[in-house]
Amino acid sequence: MSSDGHAALFRGQRRGVLIPLSSPSGAGKTTLSKRLLAQNPDIVLSVSTTTRQPRPGEQHGVDYYFTDEATFMQQVEEGAFFEWAKVFDHYYGTPKAPVMEAIEEGRDVVFDIDWQGAQAIAEQAAEDTVRVFILPPSLALLEDRLKKRGQDSSEIIDGRMARAKSEIEHWSEYDYVIVNDDFARALEKLNLILHAERWKRSRHPWLDGFVQALMDE
Ligand code: 5GP
């Protein structure tokens, strides 16, 4: 045995962590996930496929892969989606191949997704998934942020607030819940969760061989 022990021989790739990140809209999830990605080169953002039309400013391959219903259904048949759902009038799906590759190659995947999508991902890959929910410090603050976003009518704002409340109702299904009252602290918590989860035993399958070699000395 070399002076480094067995580690050099056995230390291998960890499995990537799947992180569905949910929150009511306006709670800061998008900014948080962008900063998390900028700070961690081993994380990728999952880009979903959808049959809805792009909104102004949205880019194919960045915000979504935009497609038609026939193509979407063909991809469903082929088993191309990790999970998929119909939300309102359109179909949404998480492409499977990039997720599986990331897990095997030790890269983590963040999903900007609502509670139903988060639940589907957790069902598909329970061991690999860590669900994180972002809460606003108050609903009044959330309403303020939604109002500042544009010149939406009060009906639209009311609709968004109702949707925000129905999303928050699912908070207890998540492994971690972060109250975003201070952006820097919320980002730090998200980083701590990710870094601890990376060390979970089940994400280091090479340990089996390493410990076996230790015991055989
Ligand atoms: P939007 O059209 O506003 O971008 O998204 C509408 C809803 O679809 C959101 O609640 C979003 O979380 C959900 N969604 C986006 N991508 C996916 C996906 O890949 N799978 C599932 N199940 N839902 C998604």
Side-chain angles (χ1 to χ4, degrees):
M1 189 194 13
S2 73
S3 57
D4 322 339
H6 303 291
L9 206 59
F10 287 98
R11 186 169 298 143
Q13 201 87 261
R14 68 171 174 88
R15 286 174 73 77
V17 191
L18 304 185
I19 310 158
L21 195 62
S22 308
S23 75
S25 71
K29 170 183 60 171
T30 308
T31 321
L32 271 173
S33 54
K34 278 188 186 152
R35 287 292 294 278
L36 185 74
L37 256 77
Q39 292 177 347
N40 296 276
D42 283 351
I43 309 181
V44 291
L45 189 66
S46 172
V47 179
S48 298
T49 301
T50 182
T51 58
R52 81 153 162 78
Q53 293 296 310
R55 297 192 186 114
E58 282 185 334
Q59 280 178 274
H60 181 77
V62 176
D63 300 284
Y64 281 105
Y65 295 106
F66 297 99
T67 192
D68 56 76
E69 215 169 296
T71 311
F72 188 94
M73 283 307 163
Q74 192 186 329
Q75 290 176 334
V76 169
E77 292 289 313
E78 291 164 2
F81 293 120
F82 192 55
E83 62 78 38
W84 64 276
K86 191 170 186 182
V87 185
F88 304 113
D89 292 330
H90 302 288
Y91 292 98
Y92 294 84
T94 304
K96 192 176 193 169
V99 175
M100 304 320 283
E101 278 166 27
I103 294 177
E104 297 303 327
E105 292 168 6
R107 279 178 288 116
D108 312 308
V109 188
V110 168
F111 303 82
D112 187 336
I113 207 162
D114 66 357
W115 71 270
Q116 289 185 61
Q119 188 178 64
I121 290 162
E123 279 168 10
Q124 288 298 312
E127 276 283 293
D128 296 308
T129 303
V130 177
R131 276 183 275 182
V132 181
F133 198 89
I134 311 293
L135 280 174
S138 81
L139 282 185
L141 198 83
L142 196 74
E143 195 165 355
D144 268 2
R145 285 186 194 156
L146 289 178
K147 280 179 181 162
K148 277 183 199 142
R149 275 189 183 181
Q151 295 97 17
D152 295 315
S153 67
S154 60
E155 286 80 34
I156 289 181
I157 300 283
D158 288 351
R160 290 204 182 133
M161 287 306 289
R163 276 221 296 286
K165 282 186 181 171
S166 63
E167 186 74 15
I168 292 172
E169 277 171 8
H170 293 274
W171 73 278
S172 65
E173 294 157 24
Y174 287 72
D175 300 297
Y176 297 92
V177 178
I178 298 174
V179 179
N180 186 11
D181 48 0
D182 176 304
F183 181 81
R185 275 174 54 82
L187 181 64
E188 189 188 347
K189 287 174 193 167
L190 199 52
N191 264 305
L192 286 170
I193 291 164
L194 171 74
H195 285 89
E197 286 287 345
R198 282 178 174 171
W199 289 103
K200 199 172 174 183
R201 177 172 50 80
S202 60
R203 305 196 206 290
H204 294 266
W206 60 273
L207 278 168
D208 281 342
F210 174 69
V211 173
Q212 192 60 56
L214 273 184
M215 302 306 270
D216 289 346
E217 268 178 37

